[in-house]
Amino acid sequence: MKPRHLTHTDTLQLPITGNGPFNFRHTLWKPSHYATGLEAHTETRSWRTFRIDSLIIGVALTNGRDDRTISVEVFADGDYAPEHRDRLARRLTTSYGLDEDLAPFTELAADVPAMRDPLHALFGMRQSCPEDHFEIAVIALLLQNTTISRTTQMTRNLLTRHGRLVHFDGITLRAWFTPAEIAAVTAEEFKERDRLGYRAKTLPHFAAFFRDHHPEDLAAADNLVELFQQIKGVGPYTAAVMASHASRDPAVFGVDVWNRKILARRLLDTEDAAPEAIHEHLTRLFPGHAGTAALYLVEHEYLRTPVAPLLPLDAIKTWNQELRPSTS
DNA sequence: CGCCAGGTAACCC
DNA sequence: GGGTTACATGGC
């Protein structure tokens, strides 16, 4: 599979309009996130791909000098039209919470001892979710009841076989498939070829749901967690990930066996605890912002030993080699 | 081997 | 309703 070359097409300056501090590095790069090949980060620069309809866009992002702007170099092919500029700007602004008010959370956190170190180390970090609802649902699906190494393997299989490979600004990255692009793929194929196991039969349900429900419709729903759980294969965890990440509800967070133990240790001083106990505790300490609080605690846990560390600048070439499959 | 992973649906009473 | 159990797969 040869990468498609995207050419430099546009430049954006995105203002940080939301109240509160903005931490460029820890907003775009999350120490706890596993490697997908959809993005790459060095100390000062980030790259990411986006699908906007069928268009494939690559962006290179850097922090503005005043910490209140993000500079975006846009790479695309010939289909990039003026209307895409606004949609991309909105998508980036939402994905990284540039217009969100972080102050209510930081004020609550100032009074919570367990939050002292995370708040200090990650000050100004916001939720990041470059994925749309469909894409984050697939990520959450691949996290269900398995190890990160297998999640990484399944992600690689899916993106290699059904996604795209693009090259821009000196880097090679994968890009997502759209619901329409996997509409014809059978559950059997997902299982046998992409090694999805029992998850294989739920992926077609995801594609069908998001072909019929566009992101705009979802904003109108009043109980998203409930709505999302109507999709076969989406339970409380996946629905909460979708609501907290793609819908950016700061009050919501998905509890799984992994963050359950982290939060139990940090908040309750025990090795493990019931999900309800954790949820209740965090909701009481951070009314309306429990999800943001959980984000800070979990990312701080991984800050010293990131799952996918920042790349040294000179590692990009090696990275490109690894991402290109050597097999036909 | 058996157990467990960054869960969920289907089944039981 | 609330408490089991099967579900695929790979790593240890």
Side-chain angles (χ1 to χ4, degrees), chain A residues 7-319:
Chain A
T7 57
H8 187 262
T9 308
D10 203 352
T11 301
L12 306 175
Q13 301 291 334
L14 299 178
I16 317 292
T17 58
N19 270 334
F22 182 81
N23 183 324
F24 173 83
R25 186 60 294 147
H26 295 308
T27 295
L28 273 64
W29 169 73
K30 292 291 190 284
S32 84
H33 286 193
Y34 74 92
T36 59
L38 294 162
E39 57 190 47
H41 308 272
T42 65
E43 194 61 51
T44 56
R45 194 174 182 86
S46 288
W47 296 267
R48 169 78 202 197
T49 62
F50 289 86
R51 295 301 303 268
I52 294 186
D53 298 334
S54 58
L55 192 66
I56 306 171
I57 296 177
V59 294
L61 307 121
T62 49
N63 196 11
R65 228 174 317 165
D66 54 358
D67 273 4
R68 301 307 290 180
T69 309
I70 290 185
S71 297
V72 187
E73 301 302 332
V74 182
F75 299 80
D77 62 19
D79 295 333
Y80 186 87
E83 60 141 340
H84 291 121
R85 165 180 257 244
D86 284 344
R87 293 185 60 186
L88 179 63
R90 276 200 301 277
R91 176 77 177 267
L92 288 166
T93 297
T94 305
S95 294
Y96 302 116
L98 307 189
D99 57 351
E100 291 172 0
D101 186 355
L102 197 61
F105 164 73
T106 52
E107 281 163 25
L108 286 169
D111 296 331
V112 178
M115 206 55 78
R116 217 186 66 112
D117 291 348
L119 193 62
H120 181 255
L122 301 168
F123 197 64
M125 175 182 72
R126 287 138 194 257
Q127 177 69 280
S128 64
C129 186
E131 281 75 22
D132 66 17
H133 284 84
F134 168 67
E135 293 160 355
I136 199 66
V138 175
I139 296 274
L141 172 70
L142 300 182
L143 288 166
Q144 289 173 10
N145 193 45
T146 194
T147 55
I148 287 304
S149 79
R150 215 171 113 55
T151 300
T152 306
Q153 177 206 39
M154 290 187 282
T155 304
R156 181 171 1 99
N157 292 348
L158 279 182
L159 291 176
T160 300
R161 296 204 345 101
H162 309 291
R164 311 295 183 86
L165 199 63
V166 295
H167 185 85
F168 65 97
D169 196 39
I171 197 159
T172 303
L173 288 178
R174 301 183 201 287
W176 276 105
F177 42 85
T178 65
E181 286 166 358
I182 59 161
V185 183
T186 63
E188 173 146 284
E189 208 172 327
F190 286 135
K191 183 173 183 291
E192 300 303 325
R193 310 251 267 156
D194 302 320
R195 313 305 296 154
L196 294 201
Y198 66 83
R199 299 163 192 77
K201 53 188 177 297
T202 72
L203 197 43
H205 292 299
F206 284 22
F209 182 90
F210 287 103
R211 209 180 42 235
D212 303 338
H213 297 74
H214 284 257
E216 309 86 64
D217 315 344
L218 300 174
D222 54 49
N223 191 338
L224 282 170
V225 175
E226 218 164 271
L227 173 69
F228 292 147
Q229 286 189 73
Q230 291 170 9
I231 310 167
K232 194 82 88 178
V234 174
Y237 170 73
T238 303
V241 170
M242 293 166 73
S244 68
H245 286 65
S247 300
R248 307 192 71 82
D249 183 340
V252 174
F253 63 106
V255 180
D256 53 43
V257 295
W258 166 68
N259 63 19
R260 198 180 72 206
K261 291 173 185 171
I262 295 172
L263 297 173
R265 219 176 320 114
R266 296 279 188 128
L267 295 167
L268 307 171
D269 197 30
T270 60
E271 285 305 304
D272 203 352
E276 303 77 34
I278 290 173
H279 190 269
E280 193 186 317
H281 187 86
L282 217 41
T283 302
R284 184 166 44 76
L285 286 178
F286 295 92
H289 300 273
T292 310
L295 176 71
Y296 271 73
L297 291 167
V298 167
E299 295 309 329
H300 187 236
E301 181 88 10
Y302 278 84
L303 193 52
R304 302 286 160 212
T305 53
V307 177
L310 291 172
L311 296 168
L313 261 177
D314 59 10
I316 302 295
K317 192 178 263 184
T318 316
W319 160 276

